[in-house]
Amino acid sequence: MTEERSFLEAARREKLEQLVGLGVAPFAYRYDRTHTAQQALDLFREGEEPAVSIAGRLVALRGHGKTTFAHVADQSGRIQVYAKLDEVGAGSYDMIKLLDLGDLVGVEGRVFKTKTGEVTVRARTVTLLAKALRPPPIGKEDAEGEQHGGLKDPELRYRQRYADLAVHPEVRKVFELRARVVSFIRRFLDDRGYLEVETPVLQPLYGGAMARPFTTHHNALDRQLYLRIATELYLKRCIVGGMERVYEIGKDFRNEGMDRQHNPEFTMLESYEAYSDYTDIMRLVEDMITGLVQSLFGAHTIERFGHSFEFRAPWPRKAYLELIREHAGLDLGTATDGDLRAFLKPRSHRPAGSADPALDPVNWPRTKLMDEVFKVAVEPRLEQPTFVVDYPIEISPLAKPKRGDPTLTERFELFVNGHELANAFSELNDPDDQRRRFEAQLKAREAGDDEAQQLDEDYIRALEYGMPPTGGLGLGVDRLVMLLAGEASIRDVILFPMLRPE
RNA sequence: GCGCCGAUAGCUCAAUUGGCAGAGCAAGUGACUCUUAAUCACUAGGUUGCAGGUUCGAUUCCUGCUCGGCGCACCA
């Protein structure tokens, strides 16, 4: 490493030594900042020169011999700094000449306006707070505000998110939005009497969703454990125990492919409310998301991805089977499996004689065919917020049968912009029925569906103690943030997304 | 997992049919006490992702690998 260090870093280390030679401590302990950059800008009044101390990273540096102009950026924004030999003193100016782009500095002085009209801090003292030994991948902004250079390589942006954030304030905005979303959800549920709880990430059995898990091993117990794929079954155990409204916002882990909508670990909100059903949960979701959009943007309509999304409630509720009839022209009451395959054939891009028989629609059970028809024909059409309700019972093993039609369940999924955002149901609380549903899942597993759920005896035991009727919700937080931030890739709403090792 | 595309200086990008690897910014030295993509002069900066192959000669053509992007599959 030492001999491989680039000449750019060598130059910075050389300056570091010169600074030490000048008696400057290159890595300070603290700084008394009185104003952020934005506060300092706002402070300016014509004819006044208020004193401020600001601190931040040097993002532009223009030396002119015995004067130096710079821009210092902090979390609030950036402000110009003007340092003049006569005003900071010769010793201090020697230090200023050794500063580099990327260094962290504190500046104390008075706010004034230059003759070209930019509000600026006229430095009285400049303090080095931390020397940057590596050059920041900083771009330049021209008079029209257009960026030149900068960090564009997406791999570097995700791998070195610290550099991405340091150089691109707009990236930080996405994560500020994310934080406001999560904080709003907490407040919303807390205000409705929900209790936030934490359930196990390491689980002896995984359940609550259809997915392949990560496995791990506990040494002292010498047993295999799974990273959770959902919090569902534990949260409902809480409901059994009399915690009538609970939620958890946490990471789930699914051992599946990665693409711009999937990261192996992702953030899920799950909430459960005793004595309510899925219609209550629909209203809860409407209230939560319309409230969120209103609180974030002060409006019910937002423009994203070239479309306008209208969040004003109530949102349309459309039955799963109706939508398939409407968009695919298939009546699932009378259509045969062959009809479904015939519909899928021209629309599905699956390789015909694929090596993996599980990928060949010819071998799919009817439920999977239906699901595929829905995915291909219906999902892309669900642009505006829409509740899809009453899913077939075979693909909903944790939901109560629908009143009046036991082939369906009281379940809904919320779709926006063609993507599923939430999944919810009237929770199945009949332990004997739950056992039968698990057993059906076991059969599906034996038939080769490795995402089918496991039979959780302890969960059934919990239901046998009696679970009140309960409405439950799962909501993908990353997906919600993607929609609200207008980001097409999940990697742009996760600070440190999963990447292959360098 | 499959397909397509990509990887060149710290960053952003060039390089003609295969013929000495370049620019802007960043960096170094000098000049400059209201500049703002500061300016001017000079200087330095490269194992062209890795490993092979073809060729007198490879950034360029071929094969394999690594990493990434996009699409498909899986899924939320």
Side-chain angles (χ1 to χ4, degrees):
Chain A
M1 181 69 208
T2 35
E3 78 279 3
E4 292 298 324
R5 185 176 291 131
S6 82
F7 69 101
L8 290 164
E9 292 163 56
R12 285 168 183 252
R13 286 183 183 271
E14 166 70 27
K15 288 185 186 176
L16 181 71
E17 285 177 23
Q18 290 181 45
L19 285 163
V20 171
L22 288 176
V24 175
F27 297 98
Y29 282 86
R30 64 183 310 282
Y31 186 75
D32 277 315
R33 174 165 72 164
T34 62
H35 296 76
T36 65
Q38 189 59 51
Q39 287 167 342
L41 290 172
D42 293 342
L43 209 59
F44 175 78
R45 295 284 182 280
E46 212 65 57
E48 294 174 28
E49 292 205 352
V52 296
S53 293
I54 58 151
R57 192 182 291 277
L58 281 174
V59 293
L61 197 54
R62 299 177 292 280
H64 300 72
K66 298 185 180 61
T67 71
T68 296
F69 284 89
H71 275 91
V72 171
D74 65 16
Q75 195 174 313
S76 73
R78 48 148 67 189
I79 187 167
Q80 181 168 256
V81 168
Y82 172 55
K84 189 156 72 157
L85 173 62
D86 295 346
E87 292 174 2
V88 299
S92 192
Y93 202 79
D94 286 342
M95 184 272 285
I96 289 169
K97 283 197 289 192
L98 291 170
L99 291 177
D100 286 306
L101 231 42
D103 288 352
L104 292 148
V105 297
V107 178
E108 181 266 314
R110 290 184 175 277
V111 180
F112 76 114
K113 192 181 263 184
T114 62
K115 72 179 183 190
T116 48
E118 179 161 351
V119 175
T120 300
V121 178
R122 184 200 309 275
R124 203 170 62 95
T125 59
V126 176
T127 310
L128 179 58
L129 301 179
K131 183 76 188 153
L133 294 176
R134 198 179 277 272
I138 235 163
K140 284 203 162 191
E141 200 173 277
D142 66 20
E144 285 81 44
E146 194 183 335
Q147 285 287 337
H148 301 261
L151 191 60
K152 291 198 178 151
D153 180 347
E155 179 174 358
L156 276 184
R157 288 191 44 230
Y158 300 141
R159 251 185 231 294
Q160 301 189 28
R161 182 68 90 183
Y162 34 86
D164 187 31
L165 286 164
V167 165
H168 298 126
E170 68 277 13
V171 173
R172 203 179 56 234
K173 292 280 181 279
V174 172
F175 295 100
E176 288 169 1
L177 178 76
R178 181 178 179 123
R180 290 208 301 281
V181 168
V182 172
S183 134
F184 180 94
I185 291 172
R186 283 215 164 85
R187 206 171 335 117
F188 178 89
L189 292 171
D190 292 346
D191 288 349
R192 276 164 181 70
Y194 278 77
L195 191 69
E196 182 172 12
V197 298
E198 294 177 84
T199 63
V201 171
L202 294 173
Q203 303 183 347
L205 284 176
Y206 60 94
M210 312 265 205
R212 292 207 298 271
F214 286 90
T215 59
T216 187
H217 184 263
H218 188 272
N219 289 340
L221 293 177
D222 187 26
R223 69 168 298 169
Q224 174 165 288
L225 293 173
Y226 303 98
L227 270 60
R228 70 183 177 197
I229 59 171
T231 49
E232 168 145 4
L233 300 183
Y234 282 96
L235 290 173
K236 283 191 279 192
R237 285 172 170 98
C238 295
I239 296 282
V240 169
M243 305 172 89
E244 293 178 355
R245 295 180 177 199
V246 293
Y247 74 97
E248 179 164 8
I249 296 174
K251 290 279 183 71
D252 288 345
F253 306 85
R254 298 190 184 174
N255 206 342
E256 283 152 357
M258 295 152 55
D259 59 31
R260 36 194 228 149
Q261 316 220 32
H262 300 85
N263 197 59
E265 57 179 295
F266 62 101
T267 302
M268 181 85 118
L269 161 71
E270 288 195 38
S271 71
Y272 294 85
E273 178 172 334
Y275 309 112
S276 66
D277 66 11
Y278 76 146
T279 63
D280 298 303
I281 303 304
M282 280 188 253
R283 280 192 294 276
L284 181 83
V285 171
E286 279 172 345
D287 286 350
M288 184 165 73
I289 293 186
T290 54
L292 174 61
V293 170
Q294 178 69 36
S295 132
L296 291 173
F297 307 114
H300 284 113
T301 306
I302 60 173
E303 305 284 331
R304 297 289 185 276
F305 310 109
H307 298 281
S308 184
F309 296 98
E310 167 64 66
F311 285 95
R312 199 180 307 274
W315 302 333
R317 304 177 181 189
K318 298 195 172 167
Y320 182 86
L321 296 180
E322 279 302 318
L323 283 165
I324 288 183
R325 188 174 306 142
E326 182 181 334
H327 294 291
L330 289 168
D331 184 341
L332 291 181
T334 56
T336 64
D337 290 6
D339 294 336
L340 298 186
R341 289 197 191 94
F343 177 84
L344 287 174
K345 198 156 191 185
R347 277 161 252 255
S348 174
H349 303 282
R350 281 160 221 284
S354 163
D356 185 350
L359 294 181
D360 190 338
V362 171
N363 299 309
W364 286 1
R366 182 176 181 83
T367 52
K368 191 148 183 158
L369 289 169
M370 285 183 337
D371 219 29
E372 184 67 13
V373 168
F374 188 83
K375 205 168 284 179
V376 171
V378 181
E379 283 190 13
R381 316 275 181 88
L382 300 176
E383 182 180 282
Q384 296 300 318
T386 306
F387 290 121
V388 178
V389 303
D390 302 342
Y391 282 66
I393 198 161
E394 298 87 345
I395 56 174
S396 312
L398 298 165
K400 279 177 90 72
K402 179 175 169 61
R403 282 162 273 195
D405 186 348
T407 68
L408 301 176
T409 52
E410 297 199 355
R411 172 183 178 188
F412 74 82
E413 292 191 340
L414 170 64
F415 283 84
V416 186
N417 196 30
H419 297 306
E420 182 197 332
L421 220 57
N423 181 20
F425 21 90
S426 300
E427 303 293 338
L428 181 56
N429 61 343
D430 174 342
D432 293 339
D433 192 2
Q434 184 65 75
R435 179 179 294 277
R436 287 193 293 274
R437 305 278 198 95
F438 275 143
E439 282 165 354
Q441 288 288 302
L442 285 180
K443 273 201 192 116
R445 173 172 289 271
E446 279 158 22
D449 184 353
D450 59 358
E451 289 173 354
Q453 305 209 17
Q454 297 176 305
L455 198 156
D456 189 334
E457 285 288 355
D458 177 70
Y459 176 66
I460 291 176
R461 177 168 64 191
L463 292 185
E464 285 169 351
Y465 279 101
M467 182 170 86
T470 296
L473 167 71
L475 186 149
V477 173
D478 310 273
R479 294 276 177 85
L480 177 61
V481 174
M482 285 167 69
L483 174 68
L484 297 175
E487 294 289 353
S489 172
I490 197 169
R491 290 183 160 180
D492 289 312
V493 302
I494 292 176
L495 274 168
F496 302 100
M498 179 75 74
L499 297 172
R500 286 171 208 279
E502 274 184 88

CSV table of all heavy atoms in Angstrom, one decimal, chain A residues 51-89:
chain,number,residue,atom,x,y,z
A,51,ALA,N,-21.3,38.3,13.5
A,51,ALA,CA,-20.2,37.3,13.7
A,51,ALA,C,-20.8,35.9,13.7
A,51,ALA,O,-21.9,35.7,14.3
A,51,ALA,CB,-19.5,37.6,14.9
A,52,VAL,N,-20.1,35.0,13.1
A,52,VAL,CA,-20.5,33.6,13.1
A,52,VAL,C,-19.3,32.7,13.1
A,52,VAL,O,-18.2,33.1,12.8
A,52,VAL,CB,-21.3,33.2,11.8
A,52,VAL,CG1,-22.6,34.0,11.7
A,52,VAL,CG2,-20.5,33.4,10.5
A,53,SER,N,-19.5,31.4,13.6
A,53,SER,CA,-18.5,30.4,13.4
A,53,SER,C,-19.2,29.2,12.7
A,53,SER,O,-20.3,28.8,13.2
A,53,SER,CB,-18.0,29.9,14.8
A,53,SER,OG,-17.3,30.9,15.4
A,54,ILE,N,-18.7,28.9,11.6
A,54,ILE,CA,-19.3,27.8,10.8
A,54,ILE,C,-18.2,26.7,10.7
A,54,ILE,O,-17.1,26.9,10.9
A,54,ILE,CB,-19.7,28.2,9.4
A,54,ILE,CG1,-18.5,28.8,8.6
A,54,ILE,CG2,-20.8,29.2,9.5
A,54,ILE,CD1,-18.6,28.6,7.1
A,55,ALA,N,-18.7,25.5,10.3
A,55,ALA,CA,-17.8,24.3,10.2
A,55,ALA,C,-18.3,23.4,9.0
A,55,ALA,O,-19.5,23.3,8.8
A,55,ALA,CB,-17.7,23.6,11.5
A,56,GLY,N,-17.4,22.8,8.3
A,56,GLY,CA,-17.8,21.9,7.3
A,56,GLY,C,-16.6,21.5,6.4
A,56,GLY,O,-15.5,21.7,6.7
A,57,ARG,N,-17.0,20.9,5.3
A,57,ARG,CA,-16.0,20.4,4.3
A,57,ARG,C,-15.7,21.4,3.2
A,57,ARG,O,-16.6,22.0,2.7
A,57,ARG,CB,-16.5,19.1,3.7
A,57,ARG,CG,-15.5,18.3,3.0
A,57,ARG,CD,-16.0,17.1,2.4
A,57,ARG,NE,-16.4,16.0,3.3
A,57,ARG,CZ,-15.6,15.1,3.8
A,57,ARG,NH1,-14.3,15.2,3.5
A,57,ARG,NH2,-16.0,14.2,4.6
A,58,LEU,N,-14.5,21.6,2.9
A,58,LEU,CA,-14.1,22.4,1.8
A,58,LEU,C,-14.5,21.8,0.5
A,58,LEU,O,-14.0,20.7,0.1
A,58,LEU,CB,-12.6,22.7,1.8
A,58,LEU,CG,-12.0,23.7,2.8
A,58,LEU,CD1,-10.5,23.7,2.7
A,58,LEU,CD2,-12.5,25.1,2.5
A,59,VAL,N,-15.4,22.4,-0.2
A,59,VAL,CA,-15.9,21.8,-1.5
A,59,VAL,C,-15.5,22.6,-2.7
A,59,VAL,O,-15.8,22.2,-3.8
A,59,VAL,CB,-17.4,21.6,-1.5
A,59,VAL,CG1,-17.8,20.5,-0.5
A,59,VAL,CG2,-18.1,22.9,-1.2
A,60,ALA,N,-14.9,23.8,-2.5
A,60,ALA,CA,-14.3,24.6,-3.6
A,60,ALA,C,-13.2,25.5,-3.0
A,60,ALA,O,-13.4,25.9,-1.8
A,60,ALA,CB,-15.4,25.4,-4.2
A,61,LEU,N,-12.2,25.7,-3.7
A,61,LEU,CA,-11.0,26.4,-3.2
A,61,LEU,C,-10.4,27.2,-4.3
A,61,LEU,O,-10.1,26.6,-5.4
A,61,LEU,CB,-10.0,25.3,-2.7
A,61,LEU,CG,-8.9,25.8,-1.7
A,61,LEU,CD1,-9.5,26.5,-0.5
A,61,LEU,CD2,-8.2,24.5,-1.3
A,62,ARG,N,-10.4,28.5,-4.1
A,62,ARG,CA,-9.8,29.3,-5.2
A,62,ARG,C,-8.8,30.3,-4.5
A,62,ARG,O,-9.2,31.3,-3.9
A,62,ARG,CB,-10.9,30.2,-5.9
A,62,ARG,CG,-11.9,29.3,-6.6
A,62,ARG,CD,-13.0,30.2,-7.2
A,62,ARG,NE,-13.8,30.9,-6.2
A,62,ARG,CZ,-14.8,30.3,-5.5
A,62,ARG,NH1,-15.1,29.0,-5.8
A,62,ARG,NH2,-15.5,31.0,-4.6
A,63,GLY,N,-7.5,30.0,-4.7
A,63,GLY,CA,-6.5,30.8,-4.1
A,63,GLY,C,-6.1,31.9,-5.0
A,63,GLY,O,-6.0,31.7,-6.2
A,64,HIS,N,-5.8,33.1,-4.5
A,64,HIS,CA,-5.3,34.2,-5.4
A,64,HIS,C,-4.1,34.8,-4.7
A,64,HIS,O,-4.1,36.1,-4.5
A,64,HIS,CB,-6.4,35.3,-5.5
A,64,HIS,CG,-7.7,34.8,-6.1
A,64,HIS,ND1,-8.6,34.0,-5.4
A,64,HIS,CD2,-8.2,35.0,-7.3
A,64,HIS,CE1,-9.6,33.8,-6.2
A,64,HIS,NE2,-9.4,34.4,-7.3
A,65,GLY,N,-3.1,34.1,-4.4
A,65,GLY,CA,-2.0,34.7,-3.7
A,65,GLY,C,-2.3,35.0,-2.3
A,65,GLY,O,-2.5,34.2,-1.5
A,66,LYS,N,-2.5,36.3,-2.0
A,66,LYS,CA,-2.7,36.8,-0.6
A,66,LYS,C,-4.2,36.8,-0.2
A,66,LYS,O,-4.5,37.2,0.9
A,66,LYS,CB,-2.0,38.1,-0.4
A,66,LYS,CG,-0.5,38.1,-0.7
A,66,LYS,CD,0.2,39.4,-0.3
A,66,LYS,CE,1.7,39.3,-0.6
A,66,LYS,NZ,2.0,39.0,-2.0
A,67,THR,N,-5.1,36.3,-1.1
A,67,THR,CA,-6.5,36.1,-0.7
A,67,THR,C,-6.9,34.7,-1.1
A,67,THR,O,-6.3,34.1,-2.1
A,67,THR,CB,-7.5,37.1,-1.3
A,67,THR,OG1,-7.6,36.8,-2.7
A,67,THR,CG2,-7.0,38.5,-1.1
A,68,THR,N,-7.8,34.1,-0.4
A,68,THR,CA,-8.4,32.8,-0.8
A,68,THR,C,-9.9,32.8,-0.7
A,68,THR,O,-10.4,33.3,0.3
A,68,THR,CB,-7.8,31.7,0.1
A,68,THR,OG1,-6.3,31.7,-0.1
A,68,THR,CG2,-8.4,30.4,-0.2
A,69,PHE,N,-10.5,32.3,-1.7
A,69,PHE,CA,-12.0,32.1,-1.7
A,69,PHE,C,-12.2,30.6,-1.6
A,69,PHE,O,-11.5,29.8,-2.2
A,69,PHE,CB,-12.7,32.6,-2.9
A,69,PHE,CG,-12.8,34.1,-2.9
A,69,PHE,CD1,-11.8,34.9,-3.5
A,69,PHE,CD2,-13.9,34.7,-2.4
A,69,PHE,CE1,-11.9,36.3,-3.5
A,69,PHE,CE2,-14.0,36.1,-2.4
A,69,PHE,CZ,-13.0,36.9,-2.9
A,70,ALA,N,-13.2,30.2,-0.8
A,70,ALA,CA,-13.5,28.8,-0.7
A,70,ALA,C,-15.0,28.7,-0.4
A,70,ALA,O,-15.7,29.6,-0.1
A,70,ALA,CB,-12.7,28.2,0.5
A,71,HIS,N,-15.5,27.5,-0.6
A,71,HIS,CA,-16.9,27.2,-0.2
A,71,HIS,C,-16.8,26.0,0.8
A,71,HIS,O,-16.1,25.1,0.6
A,71,HIS,CB,-17.8,26.7,-1.4
A,71,HIS,CG,-18.4,27.9,-2.1
A,71,HIS,ND1,-17.8,28.5,-3.2
A,71,HIS,CD2,-19.5,28.6,-1.9
A,71,HIS,CE1,-18.5,29.5,-3.6
A,71,HIS,NE2,-19.6,29.6,-2.8
A,72,VAL,N,-17.5,26.3,1.9
A,72,VAL,CA,-17.6,25.3,3.0
A,72,VAL,C,-19.0,24.7,3.0
A,72,VAL,O,-20.0,25.5,3.0
A,72,VAL,CB,-17.2,25.9,4.3
A,72,VAL,CG1,-17.5,24.9,5.5
A,72,VAL,CG2,-15.8,26.4,4.3
A,73,ALA,N,-19.1,23.4,2.9
A,73,ALA,CA,-20.4,22.7,2.9
A,73,ALA,C,-20.6,22.0,4.2
A,73,ALA,O,-19.8,21.3,4.7
A,73,ALA,CB,-20.5,21.7,1.8
A,74,ASP,N,-21.8,22.2,4.8
A,74,ASP,CA,-22.2,21.4,6.0
A,74,ASP,C,-23.6,20.8,5.6
A,74,ASP,O,-24.0,20.8,4.5
A,74,ASP,CB,-22.2,22.2,7.3
A,74,ASP,CG,-23.3,23.3,7.3
A,74,ASP,OD1,-24.2,23.3,6.4
A,74,ASP,OD2,-23.2,24.2,8.1
A,75,GLN,N,-24.2,20.2,6.6
A,75,GLN,CA,-25.5,19.4,6.3
A,75,GLN,C,-26.6,20.4,5.8
A,75,GLN,O,-27.4,19.9,5.1
A,75,GLN,CB,-25.9,18.7,7.6
A,75,GLN,CG,-27.0,17.7,7.4
A,75,GLN,CD,-27.3,16.9,8.6
A,75,GLN,OE1,-26.4,16.5,9.4
A,75,GLN,NE2,-28.5,16.7,8.9
A,76,SER,N,-26.5,21.7,6.1
A,76,SER,CA,-27.5,22.6,5.7
A,76,SER,C,-27.3,23.1,4.3
A,76,SER,O,-28.3,23.6,3.7
A,76,SER,CB,-27.6,23.7,6.7
A,76,SER,OG,-26.5,24.6,6.5
A,77,GLY,N,-26.1,23.1,3.8
A,77,GLY,CA,-25.9,23.8,2.6
A,77,GLY,C,-24.4,24.2,2.5
A,77,GLY,O,-23.6,23.7,3.2
A,78,ARG,N,-24.1,25.2,1.6
A,78,ARG,CA,-22.8,25.7,1.5
A,78,ARG,C,-22.7,27.2,1.6
A,78,ARG,O,-23.7,27.9,1.2
A,78,ARG,CB,-22.2,25.2,0.2
A,78,ARG,CG,-23.1,25.4,-1.0
A,78,ARG,CD,-22.3,25.6,-2.3
A,78,ARG,NE,-21.6,24.5,-2.7
A,78,ARG,CZ,-20.7,24.5,-3.7
A,78,ARG,NH1,-20.5,25.7,-4.4
A,78,ARG,NH2,-20.0,23.5,-4.1
A,79,ILE,N,-21.6,27.7,2.0
A,79,ILE,CA,-21.4,29.1,2.1
A,79,ILE,C,-20.0,29.5,1.7
A,79,ILE,O,-19.1,28.7,1.9
A,79,ILE,CB,-21.7,29.7,3.5
A,79,ILE,CG1,-21.7,31.2,3.5
A,79,ILE,CG2,-20.8,29.1,4.6
A,79,ILE,CD1,-22.3,31.8,4.8
A,80,GLN,N,-19.9,30.6,1.0
A,80,GLN,CA,-18.5,31.0,0.6
A,80,GLN,C,-17.8,31.6,1.8
A,80,GLN,O,-18.3,32.3,2.7
A,80,GLN,CB,-18.6,32.1,-0.5
A,80,GLN,CG,-17.2,32.5,-1.0
A,80,GLN,CD,-17.3,33.3,-2.3
A,80,GLN,OE1,-17.0,32.8,-3.4
A,80,GLN,NE2,-17.7,34.6,-2.2
A,81,VAL,N,-16.4,31.4,1.8
A,81,VAL,CA,-15.5,32.0,2.8
A,81,VAL,C,-14.5,32.8,2.1
A,81,VAL,O,-14.0,32.4,1.0
A,81,VAL,CB,-14.9,30.8,3.6
A,81,VAL,CG1,-13.7,31.4,4.4
A,81,VAL,CG2,-15.9,30.1,4.5
A,82,TYR,N,-14.2,33.9,2.6
A,82,TYR,CA,-13.1,34.8,2.1
A,82,TYR,C,-12.1,35.0,3.1
A,82,TYR,O,-12.4,35.5,4.2
A,82,TYR,CB,-13.8,36.1,1.7
A,82,TYR,CG,-12.9,37.2,1.2
A,82,TYR,CD1,-11.9,37.0,0.2
A,82,TYR,CD2,-12.9,38.5,1.9
A,82,TYR,CE1,-11.1,38.0,-0.2
A,82,TYR,CE2,-12.0,39.5,1.5
A,82,TYR,CZ,-11.1,39.2,0.4
A,82,TYR,OH,-10.3,40.2,0.1
A,83,ALA,N,-10.9,34.6,2.8
A,83,ALA,CA,-9.8,34.8,3.7
A,83,ALA,C,-8.7,35.7,3.1
A,83,ALA,O,-8.3,35.4,2.0
A,83,ALA,CB,-9.2,33.4,4.1
A,84,LYS,N,-8.3,36.7,3.9
A,84,LYS,CA,-7.3,37.6,3.4
A,84,LYS,C,-6.1,37.6,4.3
A,84,LYS,O,-6.3,37.6,5.6
A,84,LYS,CB,-8.0,39.0,3.3
A,84,LYS,CG,-7.1,40.0,2.6
A,84,LYS,CD,-8.0,41.2,2.1
A,84,LYS,CE,-8.6,42.1,3.2
A,84,LYS,NZ,-8.9,43.4,2.6
A,85,LEU,N,-4.9,37.6,3.8
A,85,LEU,CA,-3.7,37.6,4.6
A,85,LEU,C,-3.7,38.6,5.7
A,85,LEU,O,-3.5,38.3,6.8
A,85,LEU,CB,-2.5,37.8,3.6
A,85,LEU,CG,-1.1,38.0,4.3
A,85,LEU,CD1,-0.7,36.8,5.1
A,85,LEU,CD2,-0.1,38.3,3.2
A,86,ASP,N,-4.1,39.9,5.3
A,86,ASP,CA,-4.1,41.0,6.3
A,86,ASP,C,-5.0,40.7,7.5
A,86,ASP,O,-4.8,41.2,8.6
A,86,ASP,CB,-4.6,42.3,5.7
A,86,ASP,CG,-3.6,42.7,4.6
A,86,ASP,OD1,-2.5,42.2,4.6
A,86,ASP,OD2,-4.0,43.6,3.8
A,87,GLU,N,-6.1,39.9,7.2
A,87,GLU,CA,-7.1,39.8,8.3
A,87,GLU,C,-7.0,38.5,9.1
A,87,GLU,O,-7.4,38.5,10.2
A,87,GLU,CB,-8.5,39.8,7.6
A,87,GLU,CG,-8.8,41.2,7.0
A,87,GLU,CD,-10.1,41.2,6.2
A,87,GLU,OE1,-10.8,40.2,6.2
A,87,GLU,OE2,-10.4,42.3,5.7
A,88,VAL,N,-6.3,37.5,8.5
A,88,VAL,CA,-6.2,36.3,9.3
A,88,VAL,C,-4.8,36.2,9.9
A,88,VAL,O,-4.5,35.4,10.9
A,88,VAL,CB,-6.4,35.0,8.5
A,88,VAL,CG1,-7.9,35.0,8.0
A,88,VAL,CG2,-5.5,34.8,7.4
A,89,GLY,N,-3.8,37.0,9.4
A,89,GLY,CA,-2.5,36.9,9.9
A,89,GLY,C,-1.6,35.9,9.1
A,89,GLY,O,-2.1,35.0,8.5
